[in-house]
Amino acid sequence: MEFPHLSRRSFLGAVLAVGARVALRSSGVAAMQPATPAAGFPTSLLDRAPDPGVSLMSEMTLYATFADLAAETIATGVARPEGTADRETVMPWLSAMIALALPQRLGNYALDPRWIEFTGFDITQVDQAAEIGEPPAQVSMYAGRFDRTAVLAAWKAAAYNEIASGDIAIWSLSEDASFSIDNPVQQLLLSGHNNAAFIGDDLIIYAPTLPLLKDAVAAATGESASLGQNPMVAELLAASPILVSGALVNGPSLMWSLDPSIILGANAPDVAATAIAEQMDGPQMAPLLLALIGVTGGGPIPKPNTPDATPIPTPETATMEIALLMPSAEAATDAVAIAQDRLATMNSFATRQPYQTFFSSWEGSVADGAPVALLSLTLGDAMPNIWYRLLFNRDLGFIG
């Protein structure tokens, strides 16, 4: 299975390219509602998420993506607006969220009025978000500061049927993943929001089928094991730095990469074949079991495309972080050495530029007491969204 296209995970790179440049002004951003500190991943939403089947035998590629909007708001120092109606205030904040991999549908439709009409909340109310699993069995989760009355009223107005009420409210358009082009909700969101749950006052879950939603509710309420409690995931997350956004990736899906500078150069076929053979004869990593790839909080924030604009300073500077669960500590040590050598010598598949263009420096280590290889990459000529650009373009040859 191939990685989803980038646009399925985040609308920020496309939608913000024009809007943020218009909205960001040299005068800065007016003070709005203060950011509320949130517990960083992995100690929050992933511990309430269902396990999509993380195991050594899994054939999945992407287990989960997550985004901590509250933590990134604090790390970038950009005030969060109240609502999305005023583009002059919302676009600077969204621009500061460029590093985050949002759930597909929120990413695509956060600024569409129909999103609020059908869900009862907007992106500025979301503190954390996660998308678990792969289509067609994909769950989206939102933790934040929601108006429960408004959300339930929106579901009722959109012709959802109430399945359960109380502290765990469950509503459904269709208990299976079917959809009709005549249904306004499904016109926009297909079957992804067919079933919805509101738990307590802070967690909203969507799933295409009712059984999948109930499984997600069971994990969120502690009735079944969560993704964060999966032994492989728990070992990896315990060794990893806290991220504002990232992805849990099946390790074998990262193992096929080659240095594209070999096969994209203007070489004769026999020369290219020889070079590939030499590359394969070089040091190779042991099988990767599970990977966490993401970014810490902070800027830089994209500069406004106006002559008199002043870049907004950020309290923190982001770093790209990679954690690889390996078969042994020795394999983790080897993986660090191989990755560092490749970073210094290999080129990006997408741009044909050296990886050193993106990263000014990097550090590698092995986690204490766990077979986890850790790479921390300082940004060079790259924005904080470099992590998902490399991931979703399948451009991580240095850990392949």
Side-chain angles (χ1 to χ4, degrees):
M1 182 179 293
E2 295 185 351
F3 284 118
H5 190 272
L6 174 60
S7 63
R8 298 188 60 186
R9 294 287 169 181
S10 175
F11 77 115
L12 295 175
V15 173
L16 301 181
V18 176
R21 291 171 180 169
V22 174
L24 282 167
R25 306 293 183 186
S26 59
S27 58
V29 182
M32 289 166 275
Q33 58 176 299
T36 301
F41 290 98
T43 58
S44 52
L45 197 51
L46 293 188
D47 284 334
R48 304 171 74 182
D51 185 346
V54 177
S55 73
L56 295 176
M57 303 303 293
S58 174
E59 296 182 357
M60 295 179 65
T61 294
L62 192 63
Y63 291 123
T65 58
F66 55 85
D68 193 328
L69 291 85
E72 184 70 337
T73 297
I74 295 169
T76 59
V78 178
R80 183 180 351 204
E82 295 183 356
T84 59
D86 184 356
R87 297 300 173 89
E88 289 290 321
T89 59
V90 74
M91 295 309 295
W93 177 69
L94 289 177
S95 181
M97 302 296 108
I98 191 173
L100 306 185
L102 299 173
Q104 171 189 339
R105 290 169 180 83
L106 178 65
N108 288 339
Y109 303 114
L111 300 182
D112 190 317
R114 294 173 296 174
W115 172 272
I116 301 175
E117 178 185 354
F118 299 148
T119 67
F121 68 92
D122 66 59
I123 189 172
T124 68
Q125 296 171 269
V126 178
D127 287 334
Q128 299 175 336
E131 195 160 60
I132 312 299
E134 294 178 332
Q138 195 168 62
V139 173
S140 53
M141 305 179 68
Y142 303 96
R145 299 154 291 106
F146 307 119
D147 182 334
R148 185 181 181 90
T149 300
V151 171
L152 298 184
W155 292 350
K156 182 176 181 179
Y160 281 78
N161 295 312
E162 186 179 31
I163 304 296
S165 59
D167 190 57
I168 303 174
I170 297 177
W171 293 63
S172 177
L173 277 176
S174 173
E175 295 187 7
D176 59 26
S178 61
F179 72 95
S180 169
I181 197 64
D182 295 324
N183 184 290
V185 176
Q186 294 170 337
Q187 284 178 16
L188 186 70
L189 305 168
L190 300 179
S191 61
H193 281 207
N194 274 8
N195 297 274
F198 200 138
I199 301 176
D201 60 0
D202 74 327
L203 183 61
I204 295 172
I205 306 175
Y206 288 101
T209 69
L210 188 58
L212 187 61
L213 179 73
K214 289 182 176 180
D215 288 344
V217 169
T221 57
E223 295 182 9
S224 65
S226 69
L227 176 59
Q229 294 172 316
N230 178 289
M232 291 176 61
V233 176
E235 185 168 34
L236 182 63
L237 296 183
S240 306
I242 292 178
L243 308 175
V244 295
S245 191
L248 277 171
V249 186
N250 193 358
S253 67
L254 298 173
M255 292 298 295
W256 57 267
S257 299
L258 286 173
D259 180 0
S261 61
I262 296 174
I263 58 177
L264 295 180
N267 297 316
D270 59 334
V271 175
T274 299
I276 292 173
E278 291 175 351
Q279 175 77 9
M280 295 301 293
D281 285 339
Q284 302 295 316
M285 290 187 184
L288 308 181
L289 306 183
L290 184 66
L292 176 63
I293 300 169
V295 67
T296 63
I301 298 173
K303 294 181 180 180
N305 190 23
T306 54
D308 59 346
T310 300
I312 299 176
T314 59
E316 301 177 31
T317 301
T319 59
M320 180 173 168
E321 302 287 343
I322 298 175
L324 307 174
L325 181 62
M326 306 299 295
S328 66
E330 292 77 12
T333 299
D334 291 343
V336 169
I338 292 170
Q340 289 181 312
D341 179 69
R342 291 177 179 177
L343 280 165
T345 59
M346 286 178 62
N347 290 352
S348 156
F349 178 85
T351 68
R352 308 191 193 185
Q353 296 175 296
Y355 284 117
Q356 293 183 88
T357 304
F358 304 140
F359 308 111
S360 60
S361 63
W362 49 82
E363 295 181 358
S365 62
V366 176
D368 292 336
V372 177
L374 300 171
L375 292 168
S376 181
L377 300 98
T378 302
L379 300 184
D381 186 17
M383 298 301 296
N385 64 345
I386 185 65
W387 76 269
Y388 64 66
R389 288 172 51 200
L390 293 177
L391 175 62
F392 297 138
N393 286 335
R394 297 182 294 183
D395 195 13
L396 289 165
F398 57 90
I399 58 173

